[in-house]
Amino acid sequence: MNTPISGFSKFSKSEKINWIVDTYFTNPEDAKETLKQYWNSDQKLQQLHDEFIENTITNYYLPLGVAPNFLINGKLHTIPMAIEESSVVAAASKAAKFWLERGGFKATVLSTTKIGQVHFMFHGNPETLQSFFEQVKSKILADAKSITLNMEKRGGGILDIELRNKTTDLSGYYQLHATFETLDAMGANFINSCLEQFANTFKREALLFQNFTDTEKQIEIVMSILSNYVPNCLVRAEVSCPVSDLSDDKNIDSEAFAQKFIQAVKIAEIEPYRAVTHNKGIMNGIDAVVLATGNDFRAVEAGVHAYASRDGQYRSLTHAKIENGIFTFWMEIPLALGTVGGLTGLHPLVKFAMELLHKPNAKELMQIVAVAGLAQNFAALRSLTTTGIQEGHMKMHLMNILNQFDATSDEKAQIIHHFKTHVVTHRAVVEAIENLRK
């Protein structure tokens, strides 16, 4: 049994690796070689990666694929996607091509407001607290001026601060609820710096406020932090076409397909068990682009799923309808994204992805990411309501199975040809490999 390690973060990279492989692996040299084969030969580039996080021991690769033919607001895009799931890029590409011939995707940013809160406890007269807040609000904004100056020059900054009484939910609990515009930055560091300054000013001024009792002066700041729930940082993406144009398969009736598609969406609107998987499919597309562009996909995931539950039940993010013979499929989702700051100016592949996307600003990136999610959901629902999801998914998964068995190029070619006319299952592929090798 190994013992706890002290001062690990102060070890050199080689010392960390030596301790790990000697402590946990039966063959330390093989484990060490596995780590080293993912190092970049360019030492400067490797050092850049090493310094992104603490205790780095190697690089973890994900495939970076591209989905071409995305026509968004009349502009053609090839979208970068970093993801491990085999069918995602293929599905996005197929949906992009389908809608390219039907007018493409439309996307609109509805709002870009972000939220931050100072959470504090106050056990006194709420009216006195409100009076204090109204008196000190201008001071709070003035004290944050050194932080907001550059953001304000670019057209952003603090939009408003309000006092919220949450004592019906938790005794003594109040908030300073602040709204921000951060333009092309995701803005986490900017917002958190502002909030901490708000808290300092608020607590300091409380000690000087004459209408507070000695007890009331002792405001307890619990924490100051941005929110990843951004219901007012919204983007809408949609596609539409005449119902008669919906089918590109002579075996699929357009009207029947449209009606079945809409029913599938309605099921996800009312059934949480289906809605979670439905929305996960949307996030396949969204996360892949968010990751490729160096943004925080965990924050996006949390905010999107909270939005899907905003009326008290978890529901589909997408919607569909037929009006006057026109099929429309759309969604509105919250996306707080940035094109400056963070990894966007550091990671070489993030820079590559941004240039591939015509160097978008934050609003343009919101539109592109939302479209990727809508396309992914369309592709999934189209498969589910026609051929079934497994036919395409398992054919994409076929290569992963072949690689697990170290298939040669010739074996791969023969087996791929075989499964053009046979159902792909793990068992069937294994049997095909075994029969071929006999």
Side-chain angles (χ1 to χ4, degrees):
M1 181 177 177
N2 59 294
T3 57
I5 184 73
S6 179
F8 183 75
S9 64
K10 295 182 175 61
F11 287 7
S12 68
K13 183 176 177 180
S14 60
E15 287 171 337
K16 289 170 184 167
I17 291 171
N18 287 337
W19 179 81
I20 287 169
V21 299
D22 290 340
T23 304
Y24 293 102
F25 292 85
T26 54
N27 193 324
E29 288 306 312
D30 282 356
K32 192 181 294 185
E33 191 56 38
T34 297
L35 296 177
K36 286 184 175 180
Q37 68 181 342
Y38 287 94
W39 291 0
N40 199 291
S41 57
D42 183 331
Q43 290 187 354
K44 185 177 179 182
L45 182 60
Q46 183 56 54
Q47 184 179 351
L48 178 69
H49 281 71
D50 286 348
E51 292 174 356
F52 283 153
I53 61 171
E54 190 170 331
N55 295 341
T56 305
I57 57 174
T58 192
N59 306 316
Y60 186 91
Y61 290 0
L62 283 176
L64 178 67
V66 295
N69 299 319
F70 270 93
L71 184 63
I72 305 173
N73 295 338
K75 188 174 184 179
L76 204 57
H77 290 272
T78 295
I79 296 181
M81 308 180 85
I83 193 166
E84 88 298 339
E85 191 168 327
S86 55
S87 58
V88 168
V89 177
S93 301
K94 192 172 182 180
K97 188 176 181 182
F98 181 92
W99 286 107
L100 176 67
E101 300 163 358
R102 293 162 177 80
F105 296 82
K106 307 293 187 294
T108 309
V109 173
L110 304 178
S111 55
T112 56
T113 302
K114 295 166 188 173
I115 303 295
Q117 296 167 322
V118 177
H119 305 269
F120 68 94
M121 309 305 288
F122 174 82
H123 299 282
N125 188 321
E127 293 179 0
T128 308
L129 180 64
Q130 181 65 40
S131 175
F132 165 66
F133 170 71
E134 290 169 3
Q135 180 175 312
V136 80
K137 182 177 177 179
S138 60
K139 181 65 174 173
I140 292 172
L141 292 170
D143 284 0
K145 206 69 177 174
S146 62
I147 303 169
T148 63
L149 194 60
N150 287 337
M151 185 67 76
E152 287 173 356
K153 285 179 180 177
R154 298 195 297 271
I158 304 162
L159 301 179
D160 194 19
I161 309 172
E162 59 182 279
L163 174 68
R164 292 193 171 182
N165 185 333
K166 307 289 285 186
T167 54
T168 55
D169 300 314
L170 178 64
S171 177
Y173 172 40
Y174 293 82
Q175 301 170 352
L176 295 182
H177 184 92
T179 50
F180 298 85
E181 171 58 65
T182 62
L183 303 170
D184 289 337
M186 189 276 169
N189 290 331
F190 168 75
I191 292 172
N192 287 336
S193 295
C194 288
L195 294 171
E196 289 181 0
Q197 182 59 58
F198 295 171
N200 290 337
T201 301
F202 197 68
K203 190 168 184 178
R204 184 192 70 226
E205 293 298 315
L207 296 172
L208 304 175
F209 190 58
Q210 293 182 348
N211 292 343
F212 277 158
T213 65
D214 288 344
T215 301
E216 289 175 329
K217 290 178 187 290
Q218 304 307 314
I219 287 175
E220 179 193 352
I221 304 295
V222 178
M223 55 186 167
S224 307
I225 185 72
L226 90 163
S227 173
N228 290 128
Y229 183 41
V230 284
N232 294 315
C233 191
L234 282 175
V235 57
R236 177 186 171 99
E238 68 176 72
V239 286
S240 63
C241 71
V243 171
S244 57
D245 291 348
L246 265 181
S247 179
D248 58 359
D249 186 332
K250 62 184 179 182
N251 296 317
I252 299 174
D253 176 77
S254 294
E255 181 69 34
F257 165 67
Q259 294 295 342
K260 197 173 181 183
F261 187 101
I262 290 171
Q263 290 288 63
V265 174
K266 288 187 181 299
I267 288 170
E269 289 175 343
I270 58 118
E271 171 51 61
Y273 281 92
R274 171 58 197 145
V276 169
T277 308
H278 178 96
N279 289 346
K280 185 268 181 185
I282 295 170
M283 300 313 293
N284 278 342
I286 288 175
D287 284 351
V289 188
V290 170
L291 191 57
T293 56
N295 276 269
D296 186 345
F297 73 91
R298 287 89 49 200
V300 168
E301 280 272 354
V304 167
H305 293 303
Y307 189 75
S309 308
R310 65 193 181 280
D311 71 352
Q313 179 181 313
Y314 190 90
R315 299 182 187 279
S316 165
L317 292 160
T318 54
H319 310 282
K321 66 179 180 179
I322 297 173
E323 283 185 358
N324 302 319
I326 302 297
F327 169 86
T328 304
F329 180 52
W330 78 97
M331 81 177 165
E332 292 178 6
I333 58 166
L335 288 175
L337 302 174
T339 56
V340 297
L343 288 187
T344 55
L346 285 176
H347 198 299
L349 284 178
V350 172
K351 293 185 199 176
F352 175 92
M354 290 298 190
E355 188 161 353
L356 177 65
L357 291 172
H358 310 291
K359 297 183 179 179
N361 59 34
K363 287 184 177 181
E364 290 167 338
L365 185 59
M366 286 171 69
Q367 295 171 348
I368 292 165
V369 170
V371 162
L374 188 72
Q376 204 68 39
N377 193 225
F378 177 80
L381 288 174
R382 190 163 184 258
S383 292
L384 281 168
T385 55
T386 54
T387 59
I389 200 75
Q390 284 301 88
E391 180 181 321
H393 180 77
M394 288 306 293
K395 284 190 175 180
M396 290 301 303
H397 191 53
L398 174 59
M399 191 60 68
N400 287 344
I401 302 172
L402 293 175
N403 284 331
Q404 287 174 11
F405 285 86
D406 295 320
T408 65
S409 296
D410 184 56
E411 288 173 334
K412 287 177 181 177
Q414 291 185 61
I415 291 172
I416 289 169
H417 179 75
H418 171 78
F419 280 105
K420 285 182 178 178
T421 54
H422 292 78
V423 176
V424 179
T425 67
H426 189 276
R427 181 185 179 89
V429 176
V430 172
E431 288 180 353
I433 293 170
E434 291 174 346
N435 290 336
L436 187 62
R437 289 176 174 175
K438 286 177 182 177

